[in-house]
């Protein structure tokens, strides 16, 4: 037991500083582990119309995850997500919710891209690439309209192009 008041104060302050340092180390480690285990999420939205600009309801939309680009390797890694499906509503709008946007930490982060494909009976589909930019803080991507031509082809354009 310490009897001298100055030594007692130094011992208490030293213990407090060591405790705070230990908490800081644990917090930083938890931050890195969290970002390795829990990927960043995003929503992708858009609209499907016919060549006259009228919305198309009931069109099946697919978000197909692409292989991840590893910033430290020449090879690609397995996608961190599975294929998602959405159906356009009466306004031609579709939304993919909580898709994996990226995995990893800062400079080692890998961005998860998707090919967005419309499936309409007897028609071919364009493939639209969607990927969140690493520096973008917004968790939503709004795509240009997908215009399904009457003759069976697709065109990307309309508003926002």
């Amino acid at each position: 037991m310490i009897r001298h008041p100055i030594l007692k104060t130094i011992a208490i302050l030293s213990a407090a500083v060591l405790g705070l340092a230990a908490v800081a180390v644990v917090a930083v480690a938890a931050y890195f582990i969290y970002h390795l285990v829990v990927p960043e999420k995003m929503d992708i939205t858009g609209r499907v119309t016919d060549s006259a600009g009228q919305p198309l309801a009931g069109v099946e939309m697919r978000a197909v995850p692409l292989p991840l680009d590893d910033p430290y390797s020449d090879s690609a890694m397995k996608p961190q997500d599975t294929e998602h499906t959405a159906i356009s509503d009466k306004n031609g709008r579709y939304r993919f919710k909580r898709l994996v946007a990226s995995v990893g930490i800062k400079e080692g982060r890998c961005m998860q891209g998707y090919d967005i494909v419309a499936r309409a009976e007897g028609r071919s589909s364009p493939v639209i690439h969607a990927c969140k930019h690493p520096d973008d803080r917004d968790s939503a991507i709004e795509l240009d309209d997908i215009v399904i031509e009457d003759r069976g082809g697709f065109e990307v354009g309309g508003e926002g192009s």
Side-chain angles (χ1 to χ4, degrees), residues 1-110:
M1 184 142 183
I2 303 174
R3 296 182 194 256
H4 198 284
I6 293 176
L7 292 177
K8 190 176 192 179
T9 304
I10 290 173
I12 291 171
L13 288 175
S14 296
V17 168
L18 286 174
L20 287 174
V23 168
V25 167
V26 168
V28 168
Y31 172 82
F32 284 107
I33 291 169
Y34 174 81
H35 284 286
L36 286 172
V37 174
V38 179
E40 185 179 352
K41 301 288 185 164
M42 69 178 168
D43 293 347
I44 297 176
T45 59
R47 192 170 80 123
V48 182
T49 67
D50 62 16
S51 58
Q54 296 301 310
L56 294 176
V59 176
E60 181 183 85
M61 303 298 295
R62 295 180 351 199
V64 181
L66 301 170
L68 292 168
D69 289 326
D70 183 353
Y72 298 105
S73 171
D74 291 334
S75 62
M77 298 186 306
K78 180 180 171 191
Q80 294 295 306
D81 204 359
T82 58
E83 186 174 305
H84 294 263
T85 304
I87 304 295
S88 62
D89 64 15
K90 66 180 181 179
N91 298 316
R93 306 280 311 156
Y94 61 89
R95 169 179 242 142
F96 298 104
K97 294 181 182 180
R98 304 206 34 84
L99 302 178
V100 172
S102 67
V103 293
I105 302 166
K106 288 290 183 186
E107 290 78 20
R109 187 170 21 174
C110 297

Side-chain angles (χ1 to χ4, degrees), residues 15-16 77 94 116 123 129 144:
M77 298 186 306
Y94 61 89
I116 307 301
R123 298 178 177 168
H129 181 71
D144 289 338

